[in-house]
Amino acid sequence: MARLVIVSNRVPVPKARGASAGGLAVALRDLMTPGAMWFGWSGRLSSEPSAQPAIVEARGVTYATVDLTPEAYRGFYVGFANGALWPLLHFRLGLMHFRREDYEGYLSVNRSFASALAPLLQGDDTVWAHDYHLIPFARLLRNRGFQGRLGFFLHVPFVPPSMLEAMPVARELVADLCAYDVVGFQTEEHARDFRDCAQRLLGATVEGEWIRLAGRRVRAFADPIGIDAQSFAQDAVRAESDKAVQRVAESLSNRALAIGVDRLDYSKGLPHRFEAFGRLIEKHPEHKRRIHFLQICPRSREEVDEYRKLRTELDRLAGRINGRFSEFDWTPLRYSTRAAPRATLAGLYRLGRIGVVTPLRDGMNLVAKEFVAAQSDEDPGVLVLSQFAGAAQDLTEALIVNPFDPDAIADAMHVALTMPLSERRERHSVLKEKVLRTTAEAYCRRFIEALEAPSDARAAA
């Protein structure tokens, strides 16, 4: 069997106390078997670029990392990846800042990744690159002579041609994605939008999931990511004894808990969510003093101006809502920018009567699946879910809302708080079955099977 090489922006190099529990590391855990390799940025900045990758071996897996210079980081990561691609792919054209020099920096870092990885590769390796940081990687690795199988998975949404065309290098990006053999997306809508872009911008021929371009065939298909729901459910039960979870439970004083957990990002719809909670208390005063809303949103990308502005706005909204509605013994909205351990989050989800997952646009959003997995079968909470999260395509028994409408979110929260136990159990039963079926292991298996399919099978598909 071919060796699997994972390539991503950051690499979860094992520390003394174990590997990072980041989202991608958890999703790909079943693939990190002896013989595999994971390559990417170390997360460190240095005055000189790495002459060659640093190698760490752990449990038979090779972790190979390179450092970036501050200048390369600014152009590649802050400038193009998160200043131009991220807002574009989340339908926020007004926040897209394109600078040609940032794009050149993005290409340069991808080129240096390809140059560093190429000497480590064997001819029959299978390479799987992840996310929007690495769109040009396949072409640049091919330029260094690699002829093996190359796959790519986009964890964030994709956009239709009419929106992608706003990006000055749209044709280059689509052509670079077509240099991969297989390109995976969270939903069929995202895959279809990419195929439409290849057809409209490059003149490619599209046949079902297949794109024909310049004598090559590329498969672009939907492969929704999942979680290890069984393990997460067990973590949630164990976390009932977690001290932080117990403190939150005691502080509720038998009040209901609505919980949201998101990275501090403008794509998550946090201001709309805060507004919605204020509307809930205003429109349905019977819930006053009977509910707490806990929003956990760890800070991220603070070097990007839009993120600093977002935090200021949330501080203002939280202060306004608590100033208007709080009483001496009741603070309705709790808002923290500190990260919490994964096990603690599982326990907090289990306390939740409502899971509020209302991004303005999201590739999948695994918080929705984690909330479902963590719930008690006997007395489950209710998931309020954005129609623009990839998870909404499958988790249709949630209360689906338009995240741009605070009143709709508030009304859904009211429905959740007043929903009979029998209906909560019925909805949860179906949702849990779906989350248990669409696991991280199934996601990995589907993609690797597509990527390693024999040539004759690919031709016949």
Side-chain angles (χ1 to χ4, degrees):
M1 184 176 178
R3 180 178 67 160
L4 178 63
V5 179
I6 300 294
V7 185
S8 63
N9 175 49
R10 292 290 297 271
V11 177
V13 178
K15 306 293 193 299
R17 296 184 179 180
S20 163
L24 189 58
V26 173
L28 304 184
R29 183 169 49 201
D30 291 335
L31 296 178
M32 291 296 98
T33 56
M37 177 186 288
W38 198 321
F39 172 88
W41 177 39
S42 64
R44 295 187 297 269
L45 300 179
S46 59
S47 57
E48 296 293 330
S50 301
Q52 57 187 11
I55 304 295
V56 173
E57 301 280 347
R59 297 177 181 174
V61 177
T62 300
Y63 298 86
T65 60
V66 294
D67 297 346
L68 294 179
T69 65
E71 181 182 15
Y73 172 80
R74 283 193 297 272
F76 159 71
Y77 186 79
V78 180
F80 189 73
N82 290 308
L85 273 180
W86 178 271
L88 169 70
L89 295 175
H90 287 84
F91 292 64
R92 300 297 294 274
L93 289 182
L95 298 179
M96 184 180 78
H97 301 295
F98 175 82
R99 297 167 72 242
R100 183 68 60 170
E101 53 266 43
D102 289 339
Y103 177 61
E104 294 300 329
Y106 176 76
L107 291 177
S108 178
V109 168
N110 271 270
R111 192 175 295 115
S112 68
F113 275 23
S115 296
L117 178 60
L120 305 179
L121 292 177
Q122 303 161 10
D124 62 346
D125 283 346
T126 294
V127 178
W128 186 6
H130 287 264
D131 230 358
Y132 59 102
H133 313 86
L134 297 169
I135 290 174
F137 183 74
R139 172 175 60 84
L140 298 169
L141 191 60
R142 297 283 191 214
N143 290 346
R144 280 147 188 80
F146 181 70
Q147 298 299 316
R149 301 291 294 163
L150 272 164
F152 177 87
F153 189 83
L154 187 67
H155 291 265
V156 300
F158 202 77
V159 293
S162 59
M163 186 163 288
L164 190 69
E165 286 175 322
M167 169 65 73
V169 291
R171 295 185 77 258
E172 291 91 331
L173 293 172
V174 176
D176 280 342
L177 282 173
C178 288
Y180 287 96
D181 296 298
V182 175
V183 183
F185 299 86
Q186 299 282 20
T187 69
E188 176 55 30
E189 177 187 1
H190 302 157
R192 183 178 62 250
D193 283 342
F194 170 66
R195 295 191 295 263
D196 289 347
C197 286
Q199 186 174 47
R200 177 161 156 177
L201 275 63
L202 303 179
T205 300
V206 175
E207 301 169 346
E209 294 181 341
W210 293 86
I211 298 169
R212 290 183 180 272
L213 180 68
R216 297 187 68 252
R217 297 176 79 241
V218 182
R219 185 181 179 191
F221 79 120
D223 182 16
I225 196 169
I227 63 171
D228 182 347
Q230 196 67 51
S231 174
F232 197 82
Q234 293 167 358
D235 288 345
V237 173
R238 283 193 294 266
E240 290 178 340
S241 60
D242 181 287
K243 290 182 179 179
V245 175
Q246 288 181 340
R247 287 198 300 271
V248 172
E250 291 168 2
S251 72
L252 292 174
S253 301
N254 295 317
R255 297 181 175 101
L257 175 67
I259 184 169
V261 178
D262 308 83
R263 191 168 50 80
L264 188 62
D265 189 281
Y266 53 74
S267 69
K268 302 301 182 182
L270 296 172
H272 303 74
R273 194 179 304 174
F274 282 21
E275 290 275 8
F277 184 64
R279 299 279 180 90
L280 171 71
I281 300 172
E282 181 180 34
K283 294 176 65 176
H284 303 282
E286 64 269 29
H287 300 308
K288 191 174 183 180
R289 296 180 53 83
R290 295 184 178 180
I291 184 171
H292 283 291
F293 181 34
L294 172 61
Q295 176 64 55
I296 300 172
C297 45
R299 298 185 299 273
S300 71
R301 301 173 187 164
E302 292 184 281
E303 63 271 53
V304 179
D305 190 45
E306 283 77 11
Y307 290 77
R308 294 193 295 269
K309 292 178 180 176
L310 173 62
R311 185 175 181 189
T312 299
E313 182 179 7
L314 294 180
D315 289 344
R316 179 185 63 80
L317 285 170
R320 192 185 78 188
I321 291 168
N322 284 332
R324 180 179 178 189
F325 296 111
S326 64
E327 299 182 7
F328 292 124
D329 60 345
W330 178 61
T331 302
L333 174 58
R334 307 175 186 182
Y335 153 52
S336 173
T337 58
R338 294 178 58 187
R342 184 175 172 82
T344 299
L345 289 178
L348 293 175
Y349 289 142
R350 193 170 178 85
L351 292 178
R353 178 64 182 275
I354 312 174
V356 189
V357 183
T358 54
L360 304 181
R361 186 72 58 168
D362 231 336
M364 177 52 63
N365 196 303
L366 295 181
V367 169
K369 298 187 176 186
E370 290 173 346
F371 178 82
V372 170
Q375 292 304 297
S376 159
D377 293 337
E378 290 74 28
D379 188 18
V382 178
L383 176 63
V384 175
L385 180 60
S386 164
Q387 70 186 75
F388 300 120
Q393 300 297 309
D394 190 36
L395 304 184
T396 52
E397 289 72 27
L399 298 180
I400 307 298
V401 297
N402 185 323
F404 292 92
D405 186 352
D407 284 292
I409 300 171
D411 291 343
M413 294 175 73
H414 171 68
V415 170
L417 288 169
T418 56
M419 185 180 293
L421 176 60
S422 59
E423 183 179 351
R424 285 191 280 127
R425 285 176 173 171
E426 184 178 351
R427 287 175 179 268
H428 172 68
S429 176
V430 180
L431 288 171
K432 186 174 181 180
E433 189 276 328
K434 290 178 176 179
V435 170
L436 287 168
R437 185 178 68 247
T438 57
T439 61
E441 187 276 333
Y443 154 77
C444 291
R445 184 181 66 249
R446 283 191 302 268
F447 194 93
I448 295 301
E449 286 176 353
L451 186 55
E452 295 186 337
S455 298
D456 54 346
R458 295 195 303 270

